Amino acid sequence: MSWEEVDDTRSRILRTALQMFTEQGYQRTSLRQIAERLRLTKAAILYHFPSKAHLLTDLAEPFVRDLEELLDRAEALPAGQARWSLLEGWVDVMLAHRHSLGMLYHDLALVDRGTDYQRLMRIAMRASEIVAGPNPAVRERVRAVQALAMCGDPVLFLTDVPERALREDMLDGVRRLLEDSPLAAPPTTGTGADGSTAPAAGPRPRGGRRRPGRPRAMSPDQVSAARRMHLAGTHSADEIAAEFGVSRATVYRHLESQSDTETILSQF
């Protein structure tokens, strides 16, 4: 249970502090102002929180704890599965703490570089190591850091975009970033009847979206079927991608080639 779900004095102080830090900034909010809004004394605030920095640290605790738990789960998985589990989970944690994240990201830098700072740095390093995979080259290390930034920064800057749309486009951006990298290869569980390998099974993300890292190839029959579905207007590109278990970029590539062919034919 998070501090937001507990209605005691300590939790009331945290909720009010978050509201005031968001409204007027951490530096411009004093403990006395927080106490006055709650009709408490400053001494009552200090009883629970020895300093304003302690307030900020406790506000960040649910967010930081969720990231640490995500890392623990991902580290127990095979490398390829761990990578995509972490990336999807990272987006979900960011969105779950969307309300407070902007304030926390800006103001956590004000806390001195002690235990809390080191804890955040360990989270960042563990996450990038999971995404980069074992024995990564420089390119994979760079892509890992870029991918994690793509799983967080839009939440801070695009506060007007609905959560579901933001999640879909963030993960799509990560897939496109890693598409031509060894990091895009999904784990496999075996060989199918047609000789192809199938990606490892795993929980589907929220909203029934396909997992990233799907194969980038489609058979000729699948291409023909996808084009018919597109021309009929009965399926979106996302729905076609989910139907054939490929990325949206793969579907667009075949649909674009179809459009080019139609343009050429129309000239004759």
Side-chain angles (χ1 to χ4, degrees):
M1 181 175 292
S2 71
W3 56 264
E4 293 172 304
E5 299 172 302
V6 181
D7 191 20
D8 57 16
T9 301
R10 182 183 177 87
S11 298
R12 287 174 55 225
I13 294 172
L14 285 170
R15 285 196 298 270
T16 301
L18 175 60
Q19 183 180 2
M20 296 185 72
F21 291 164
T22 302
E23 290 173 354
Q24 56 194 46
Y26 174 83
Q27 291 179 305
R28 291 189 295 274
T29 303
S30 68
L31 291 178
R32 186 174 300 280
Q33 289 174 317
I34 296 171
E36 289 174 351
R37 181 171 292 191
L38 286 166
R39 298 183 180 180
L40 297 173
T41 64
K42 182 178 177 181
I45 303 291
L46 291 172
Y47 173 80
H48 293 281
F49 302 96
S51 70
K52 191 167 68 168
H54 283 81
L55 265 174
L56 191 60
T57 298
D58 278 37
L59 284 170
E61 177 60 27
F63 167 65
V64 175
R65 186 176 60 245
D66 283 353
L67 287 179
E68 288 177 334
E69 291 175 355
L70 171 65
L71 288 166
D72 290 341
R73 292 193 299 271
E75 285 174 339
L77 299 172
Q81 189 177 351
R83 175 179 304 122
W84 290 108
S85 176
L86 175 68
L87 289 169
E88 290 190 356
W90 197 274
V91 171
D92 288 335
V93 170
M94 294 293 169
L95 290 172
H97 296 276
R98 191 177 188 182
H99 176 65
S100 58
L101 202 52
M103 182 276 298
L104 294 174
Y105 255 53
H106 290 296
D107 292 329
L108 275 175
L110 300 173
V111 179
D112 60 12
R113 297 194 173 195
T115 303
D116 299 312
Y117 176 81
Q118 294 300 324
R119 187 178 173 193
L120 289 169
M121 289 302 297
R122 284 195 298 270
I123 288 173
M125 293 301 296
R126 287 174 65 191
S128 63
E129 288 172 2
I130 291 172
V131 176
N135 304 313
V138 172
R139 183 186 186 196
E140 279 68 59
R141 293 168 62 194
V142 171
R143 290 290 186 273
V145 174
Q146 290 175 318
L148 286 169
M150 294 173 72
C151 288
D153 287 355
V155 176
L156 298 175
F157 295 101
L158 304 178
T159 55
D160 59 320
V161 179
E163 178 178 324
R164 182 174 179 180
L166 189 60
R167 183 184 193 276
E168 291 176 357
D169 284 336
M170 288 167 70
L171 290 173
D172 181 65
V174 174
R175 284 191 290 268
R176 290 172 184 269
L177 171 71
L178 302 182
E179 188 172 30
D180 296 323
S181 164
L183 302 186
T188 59
T189 56
T191 304
D194 59 355
S196 63
T197 55
R204 294 179 65 84
R206 260 185 324 182
R209 296 283 297 167
R210 54 184 166 78
R211 291 184 62 81
R214 289 298 183 92
R216 288 177 287 165
M218 295 175 68
S219 69
D221 288 343
Q222 289 177 326
V223 172
S224 297
R227 289 177 173 177
R228 288 195 300 271
M229 293 161 69
H230 176 67
L231 287 172
T234 56
H235 295 73
S236 67
D238 278 338
E239 291 168 337
I240 295 172
E243 178 71 21
F244 295 109
V246 297
S247 70
R248 183 166 62 176
T250 299
V251 172
Y252 279 134
R253 183 162 59 249
H254 289 296
L255 295 182
E256 286 168 0
S257 65
Q258 175 193 32
S259 298
D260 292 342
T261 302
E262 291 173 344
T263 300
I264 293 172
L265 290 174
S266 67
Q267 297 174 355
F268 290 90

